[in-house]
């Protein structure tokens, strides 16, 4: 599995991240796991074709005790296995990493 991760975060930073992600209604059924929506314009053609039956398409952000770990895999929330579940394109990876960076900056978290 491919990941983007940021570690050495302080407990108060982790609490702040959890609070913001919950405020955005991104939480999953698993504690510490959040679903980041993939912008429709960055989906691959097969993901766009499968949006109705497999979507929404998301990327997982795991908030741990002192770190964040974002999978670079685009998942389909309504189907575990499908050809539309695949690694993010370089463009989508850059977009989502920038999104996480901006989230941290908005929270005043320097890394």
């Amino acid at each position: 599995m491919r990941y983007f991760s940021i570690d050495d975060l302080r407990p108060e930073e982790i609490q702040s991240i959890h609070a913001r992600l919950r405020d955005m209604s991104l939480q999953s059924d698993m504690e510490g796991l959040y679903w980041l929506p993939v912008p429709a314009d960055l989906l691959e053609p097969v993901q766009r074709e499968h949006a109705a039956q497999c979507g929404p398409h998301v990327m997982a952000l795991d908030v741990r005790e002192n770190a964040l770990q974002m999978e670079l895999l685009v998942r389909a929330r309504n189907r575990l296995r499908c050809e539309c579940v695949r690694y993010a394109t370089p463009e989508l990876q850059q977009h989502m990493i920038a999104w996480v960076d901006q989230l941290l900056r908005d929270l005043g978290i320097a890394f």
Side-chain angles (χ1 to χ4, degrees):
M1 184 67 68
R2 297 178 200 157
Y3 297 96
F4 168 74
S5 62
I6 297 174
D7 58 7
D8 293 329
L9 295 167
R10 298 186 314 259
E12 61 272 13
E13 294 170 332
I14 292 295
Q15 289 175 354
S16 180
I17 293 165
H18 279 297
R20 178 63 59 91
L21 294 170
R22 281 192 299 268
D23 287 347
M24 297 171 76
S25 299
L26 298 177
Q27 66 270 22
S28 74
D29 293 336
M30 294 176 55
E31 183 66 32
L33 184 67
Y34 299 89
W35 298 123
L36 306 182
V38 174
D41 63 323
L42 294 177
L43 291 173
E44 291 190 56
V46 69
Q47 292 164 333
R48 279 189 228 113
E49 290 172 18
H50 290 211
Q53 66 268 30
C54 297
H57 290 87
V58 296
M59 291 173 67
L61 180 66
D62 186 9
V63 181
R64 299 177 175 206
E65 187 175 316
N66 67 344
L68 301 177
Q69 190 172 53
M70 180 175 59
E71 287 183 350
L72 298 177
L73 179 71
V74 177
R75 295 180 177 272
R77 290 292 313 273
N78 287 319
R79 199 171 281 178
L80 287 177
R81 294 187 180 178
C82 181
E83 65 180 320
C84 69
V85 175
R86 52 181 57 190
Y87 282 105
T89 63
E91 180 183 25
L92 178 56
Q93 288 179 31
Q94 289 175 347
H95 174 83
M96 297 306 285
I97 290 169
W99 189 92
V100 171
D101 286 347
Q102 187 62 53
L103 172 74
L104 298 178
R105 278 194 294 281
D106 290 347
L107 294 172
I109 298 172
F111 56 95

